[in-house]
Amino acid sequence: MKPTGSRVGIVLSGSPLFSGQAGSGESEIRGWILENDWLEGIVALPDQMFYNTGISTYVWILTNDKATEDRGTVKLIDAREHGTKMRKSLGDKRKELTPAAIDEIAQLYGGARDEYAADARVKVLTNETFGFQRITVERPMRRRWEVTAEVVADEPYAAYAALVGQRFETEKALLSEVPELSTAQKRTFAKACAVADSEAPIVKGRGGKVEPDPDLRDQENVPLPAGWLALDETARERALIETAEAHLDNEIRPYVPDAWIDHTKTKVGFEIPFTRQFYVYTPPRPVEEIAQEIKDLEAQIQQWINGLGL
């Protein structure tokens, strides 16, 4: 784009909207565009619009000269139902946009903030709406150690067959029974004997630090706080921690009281979940209606069978 100001339209598939996890190249590109406030809007086109593919496509409108009222926001226009079926297809192209449909889409885009603000096909969202932090939720490791026949089936552990059936509350207590093993062998032996037990004491490492359980580790996406992109680096980091801790207290600890967040593993990502933004819940049909339909079909099938004289 020209430094003096340009507006660019790019036709892309749906993949650039969401592919790539937080911290990936795709996510970083989306974040770079949004942080610079270059994304003016995205228009979802009908499927089957192009000759060699029937996939859904999207027009990204980029500009480095946004209007004042558009700064910090992105317009989303859902024009997926505006396609008209062609009389004769051209390869995979089976739909087209009529001049009237194009005019209507342009009106939706241009009036997204005023006369069409309440239209279900229009969304105007802040740049932060598309950002999130990927947090890592840890839980304490709880283990007991039990020697089984499988553990001592092979050398050099066969010499400790007498320990089969014994349980130990700590790894240290277990390893005190096998002083002849090397450090590597002790590590392997302890790992083989370890059994996850929610009632067992918490395992602590050096300095009494609680050890996280990798089997219970979980990750969640937490939306970015409002105005996050306008903050400096220090304020951003502080806002991320505060938002994550609030999510932990409100959404996680009521069910898992001993959980905590390892903030050193947090990554910021960006995605544009277009379909989710325009999703409309459709309640399922009543069970009675479905049951009646099945009975009607069964009766119809029975009539056909009787007609065949079977």
Side-chain angles (χ1 to χ4, degrees), residues 102-125:
I102 294 173
D103 287 342
E104 185 176 1
I105 295 170
Q107 290 173 10
L108 289 173
Y109 191 88
R113 289 189 171 277
D114 34 66
E115 64 261 39
Y116 294 103
D119 195 295
R121 298 166 294 178
V122 175
K123 298 277 187 180
V124 179
L125 305 171

Side-chain angles (χ1 to χ4, degrees), residues 72-259:
T73 63
V74 176
K75 303 175 187 177
L76 300 182
I77 308 299
D78 185 5
R80 290 174 294 181
E81 301 301 323
H82 285 63
T84 300
K85 287 189 176 182
M86 301 171 60
R87 292 184 178 180
K88 183 178 181 181
S89 62
L90 298 173
D92 290 320
K93 178 176 173 59
R94 299 181 179 88
K95 294 180 182 177
E96 62 182 356
L97 290 175
T98 64
I102 294 173
D103 287 342
E104 185 176 1
I105 295 170
Q107 290 173 10
L108 289 173
Y109 191 88
R113 289 189 171 277
D114 34 66
E115 64 261 39
Y116 294 103
D119 195 295
R121 298 166 294 178
V122 175
K123 298 277 187 180
V124 179
L125 305 171
T126 64
N127 292 343
E128 284 87 1
T129 304
F130 308 108
F132 62 91
Q133 56 172 318
R134 183 77 168 171
I135 62 172
T136 300
V137 181
E138 302 282 14
R139 294 181 61 188
M141 180 184 292
R142 297 177 183 270
R143 294 287 188 273
R144 59 179 170 80
W145 286 263
E146 182 176 350
V147 182
T148 63
E150 290 79 8
V151 174
V152 298
D154 301 314
E155 295 295 338
Y157 311 112
Y160 304 101
L163 297 176
V164 172
Q166 294 190 34
R167 293 186 178 185
F168 302 86
E169 293 298 317
T170 65
E171 183 179 302
K172 184 178 181 180
L174 170 69
L175 296 180
S176 67
E177 300 291 333
V178 291
E180 298 83 4
L181 296 177
S182 66
T183 301
Q185 290 170 341
K186 287 181 179 180
R187 190 180 301 114
T188 302
F189 184 70
K191 184 176 181 180
C193 294
V195 179
D197 185 351
S198 60
E199 302 299 323
I202 293 175
V203 178
K204 296 183 178 181
R206 294 180 180 179
K209 183 179 180 181
V210 176
E211 291 290 329
D213 190 336
D215 295 332
L216 299 179
R217 182 173 294 141
D218 194 14
Q219 292 184 317
E220 295 190 21
N221 292 343
V222 179
L224 293 182
W228 186 82
L229 289 174
L231 302 175
D232 59 36
E233 288 300 323
T234 302
R236 282 185 178 186
E237 185 176 352
R238 184 169 59 249
L240 289 179
I241 293 175
E242 291 174 354
T243 304
E245 289 295 331
H247 177 81
L248 178 68
D249 291 336
N250 298 329
E251 304 295 337
I252 299 176
R253 278 188 173 151
Y255 311 99
V256 189
D258 57 3

